[in-house]
Amino acid sequence: MEHQADQLVAIQQSLDQFLSRPRSRTTSSSFIMKRRRTRSIEDENTRLKEMLQQSLKRELDGLSKIKHLQEMYQDLLYRTHSNGEDSKQYQLNCPESPTSRGGMSSPKLVVVQESAPIVNQSDEESPGNAKTNGGSFIFTKQLSPTPSLGATGGGGSATSTLAPIPILLRDVKQEREKPPTILKEVTFAPEMPSDDVKSMSLDQRALNSEFSKSDEQIQRKGLERSRSNGDEKINVRQRSGSFWKRRPRPPPEDSNPPSDYVDNLFQNFKKSANIKPDPLSEYLGLHWSVFCTDRNCKSREDEKYRDAVWELFQAETKYLTKQLQPLEQVYKGFLEELHFHRVLEEAKIEKIFANLSELCELSSSIANDLLKLFEGRSQDNVALPNELVLSFSMFGHKFNPVYKTFCTNFEQQRGYIKSLEKIPTYHDYLRLCRSSPSVQRSDINDLLIAPMQHQCHYQLLLDNVLKHTTDPNHRAVLHSTIKAFKVSLKELESAIAQQRCSLELLELSEMIYWPPVTQLSTESFIPQTLMDHIREQPSSSLLKSSNCYLKLQETFKLLDSRGRPYSDVQLILLKDLLLIAEIKGQPSKKTHPYHLLHQPFPPNCIKIHLPPESPRPVITLLCHSTLGQQLAVLSLLSTGNEERSKWVNQLTSLGAKEI
Amino acid sequence: MDFKNPMRKFKIVFLGEEAVGKTSIITRFMYDTFDSNYQATIGIDFLAKTMYLDDRTVRLQLWDTAGQERFKALVPAYIRDSAIAIVVYDITNSASFDAVDQWIEDVRAERGDDVVIVLTGNKLDLEDRVISTEKGESKAKELNVIFVETSAKSGANIKQLFKRAVLALPSMEIEEEEEEENKKEDIVQVTPVEEEKDQSTVCWC
């Protein structure tokens, strides 16, 4: 008994440990571990049996634990046997690829009605693994009780039964060829075939009763039978599917589940997730005077000042409760939920939402600080300016990096977020999130842009506060705070502008073809040993350097010796380079449509000449080397006089000379 | 973006120099008020309003760029998804009128011709006008945009401004038909929003 109790404690600990760590091994469907032969097979069997019982009881305790059921089992096995010798092999096999089983048209379904076929199926899969020296354990578990959603056509299967969840625990005897013998088998087989997929909701009370039933069943039927029967077969059937419906996991290959399925997930999410308005939202729309017993202010100016501070608070609260929190709770929360069900895993949470939770925390602390300026204050010390500034300076140093991270990330991931729109499930996801009352129909992009917008509001709001502040000391402090805000905005702006430029340049560099020197001097003999060095122009990395950015880019017509336009060229003016490229083929990213005509020239090596007699907007460029040797002359026809003068101005501002 | 939306939704972005009255125009349109005494610094972040026009109903989402005038690199983020750009200048401030070209260029750079631009001369109620109607009109013609003169204070032409912008939206009928179809398929999400809509409804019949 004592020994058993110790084991239970050990199991408990390992369970707890596992529950507290991040889910990392969720995707591994099958892994094999070797162990030391430290215990007899019987010992192992009892141990595993107890582990199962223990974890079953725990899982029945509450919903939170259900989530980790699968991992728990996997981990349990892993943990208890990982300190092992090579004599025994364990296999944890979660068949998640029903296609290999054949006959199942719906990829999400793993329908196994009876326990016997499972054994057979597993046998088919596992003989290779059973062929190990020493004893071999096979722990087979199927946890994909996804209801068929054939009606929407995802899998196309008309089967509407819920897949039972068989948990097979078998000890494979040591014989190599002999098929493994079953020691224990625990099968959860929800009997009811539920056509009503919409009723997938989780009813806590029903669940509890089901749990107690199944618990009883385990004890009464299962264990007693296992004790009395020599074949040690435990067959536990769970009546209701609701327990298992909670965690439907489509196999990973089913990347595009039908809308109904996602709808159901959302319904469950809405019920289980704790989406409630922040307590701060109660203050929205109220007036600051609710905090004052005496409504009279010392002066009209004082009242205006309080109005201004109150607006600051209102703006912060509105932003927090109407924008940040819906984004965090609904959009991010539901995506997390979807990921848990292996849906829409292409949409990476960290790429879309970046440090959103940090923003929420920051905003919440600001709003609470501002509220403190009013709440519980007597008439004389409502919203004192020095306190106001203090509450802002407190987060001043935190503010900038947090917002900068978020805003630059949004700018950077814009293309990525846009690319997600190709996925039908993403549309389902957006539609469902939009339908949530707290979101108030806002699109994800609208909410993601909110921090940038809000950030710009601080200076306006503080300006307004400053306008109604009379005390010169307070004014000075406020003034410096506003200045700090503007500086931080300027920083953000330049960061974003730079990012945009580098994205542009990256795009551009993919379009430009830099002819290698082998093409430029075809007549020369090139030693083979040199070939590796000259295969590519080093200039292809020129555009990727951070300090050059795009100034102008336009198509011109190149004039031939008689002054007739004969081909289109692309002029690309960067901060320190002018690129002249011929346009070949369609400008699509894959090919390099811009073939450089000449080597790139720095603007200060260019002389501009505007032919005075020409009625057309012609610009002639004389390019020379740094030594002053003239290398090329190009006459280009611009689309208009305005464009031409724009180019002339830009070029001269970068160092080109007009002659 | 407007996938399966029961009603066609359009984003309107308000651009223009500081203190030309962007926020006031929005406040006037949304709440039909103008308080020269107490004017909220930030009227709305992005509030939506349903507009009923003759035979069609559209949902407008208004984006104020107040506070961002000096941070030009931040503005494209708003222009990006906008169907309508309202470029505002102050008829008593010639600098704000001169800046109009740059704003319109920014919009074109981001959206090309795929956008309705309305040039709006605001503060019609003020006496000391320096930009004449003709000047504004010719500028609008030159830049190929719609032109309206408004007063957020008196409310003059505010509704016209929005009406003209919405009517200029291309291929609205076709898209509306599609939306109708979506509406039938998609019953779930209509209910909670209807109530909210009613509060901000203006009927122009």
Side-chain angles (χ1 to χ4, degrees), chain A residues 514-521 524-538:
Chain A
W514 306 76
V517 71
T518 47
Q519 278 183 25
L520 299 177
S521 41
S524 310
F525 166 71
I526 303 162
Q528 202 57 40
T529 41
L530 189 66
M531 277 308 254
D532 279 349
H533 296 277
I534 59 173
R535 198 158 280 151
E536 258 183 46
Q537 289 280 10

Side-chain angles (χ1 to χ4, degrees), chain A residues 209-390:
Chain A
S209 64
E210 290 301 336
F211 284 173
S212 50
K213 261 187 225 162
S214 58
D215 209 351
E216 263 178 15
Q217 279 170 330
I218 294 168
Q219 302 210 337
R220 208 177 47 228
K221 286 187 198 165
L223 298 181
E224 278 170 21
R225 231 165 74 186
S226 80
R227 266 177 223 128
S228 57
N229 294 354
D231 63 358
E232 289 188 60
K233 192 167 180 177
I234 307 169
N235 197 341
V236 182
R237 282 179 175 268
Q238 199 191 350
R239 283 254 172 75
S240 161
S242 60
F243 169 81
W244 296 106
K245 277 177 194 166
R246 177 64 191 98
R247 47 190 329 280
R249 271 185 171 235
E253 68 259 48
D254 185 16
S255 56
N256 231 333
S259 310
D260 284 19
Y261 177 65
V262 185
D263 281 6
N264 284 321
L265 289 181
F266 187 66
Q267 297 308 324
N268 284 346
F269 166 71
K270 272 210 289 198
K271 275 176 199 150
S272 58
N274 192 18
I275 305 171
K276 50 183 181 193
D278 195 275
L280 280 170
S281 61
E282 288 169 22
Y283 297 99
L284 275 180
L286 293 181
H287 191 248
W288 55 265
S289 58
V290 294
F291 296 111
C292 299
T293 42
D294 179 14
R295 282 190 172 213
N296 297 323
C297 289
K298 276 179 249 167
S299 64
R300 176 92 185 103
E301 201 52 24
D302 194 35
E303 199 180 323
K304 280 193 169 176
Y305 165 77
R306 284 179 201 180
D307 280 341
V309 181
W310 186 247
E311 193 188 356
L312 191 57
F313 166 72
Q314 289 279 317
E316 190 68 40
T317 309
K318 202 168 157 190
Y319 160 69
L320 174 69
T321 58
K322 305 261 176 189
Q323 297 179 323
L324 285 187
Q325 284 174 348
L327 189 62
E328 164 108 6
Q329 290 168 355
V330 181
Y331 277 102
K332 192 179 167 188
F334 184 45
L335 192 57
E336 276 167 355
E337 178 81 3
L338 284 180
H339 280 197
F340 176 71
H341 293 276
R342 304 215 176 150
V343 181
L344 205 63
E345 280 175 317
E346 316 75 318
K348 300 272 174 274
I349 289 176
E350 66 280 8
K351 272 191 167 182
I352 303 174
F353 299 104
N355 59 338
L356 176 65
S357 37
E358 265 178 62
L359 277 184
C360 285
E361 270 170 44
L362 179 62
S363 177
S364 166
S365 82
I366 295 169
N368 280 308
D369 279 354
L370 288 170
L371 182 63
K372 276 181 208 144
L373 297 176
F374 290 93
E375 212 173 34
R377 294 299 175 94
S378 67
Q379 180 57 32
D380 292 332
N381 58 0
V382 167
L384 295 172
N386 50 351
E387 284 182 81
L388 169 74
V389 172
L390 193 71

Side-chain angles (χ1 to χ4, degrees), chain A residues 605-656:
Chain A
C605 286
I606 290 170
K607 290 198 167 73
I608 308 164
H609 177 68
L610 304 177
E613 73 280 1
S614 172
R616 297 177 298 176
V618 173
I619 178 169
T620 305
L621 301 178
L622 176 64
C623 310
H624 56 85
S625 73
T626 43
L627 300 169
Q629 294 293 303
Q630 290 158 0
L631 298 174
V633 60
L634 292 161
S635 282
L636 302 158
L637 181 63
S638 179
T639 44
N641 278 321
E642 219 171 275
E643 278 73 25
R644 183 174 73 163
S645 55
K646 192 167 76 188
W647 273 86
V648 173
N649 289 341
Q650 268 301 350
L651 279 167
T652 45
S653 75
L654 292 171

Side-chain angles (χ1 to χ4, degrees), chain A residues 307 311 315 323 411 414 421 427 431 434-435 441-443 445-447 449 452-453 456-457 459-461 464 486 489-490 492-493 496-497 500, chain B residues 1 3-6 9 11 38 40-42 45-46 59 61 63-64 66-68 70-74 76-78 80-81 186 189 192-193:
Chain A
D307 280 341
E311 193 188 356
Q323 297 179 323
E411 190 65 28
R414 208 176 76 221
E421 285 169 21
H427 279 290
R431 175 176 53 84
R434 257 201 314 261
S435 73
R441 269 229 222 155
S442 301
D443 278 329
N445 291 346
D446 300 346
L447 293 173
I449 211 174
M452 192 142 89
Q453 195 177 27
C456 298
H457 286 158
Q459 35 145 2
L460 290 182
L461 291 161
N464 196 31
K486 286 187 177 160
L489 272 175
K490 207 76 207 167
L492 174 75
E493 193 208 6
I496 283 180
R500 208 169 286 157
Chain B
M1 264 342 293
F3 191 77
K4 284 197 172 183
N5 220 6
K9 190 162 82 180
K11 271 191 200 172
Y38 176 71
T41 314
I42 46 168
D45 287 344
F46 57 88
R59 192 157 176 84
Q61 197 183 43
W63 286 78
D64 194 358
Q68 280 137 77
R70 291 192 196 166
F71 308 101
K72 286 236 170 184
L74 305 184
Y78 304 95
R80 215 163 278 146
D81 309 324
D186 188 5
Q189 54 160 331
V193 204

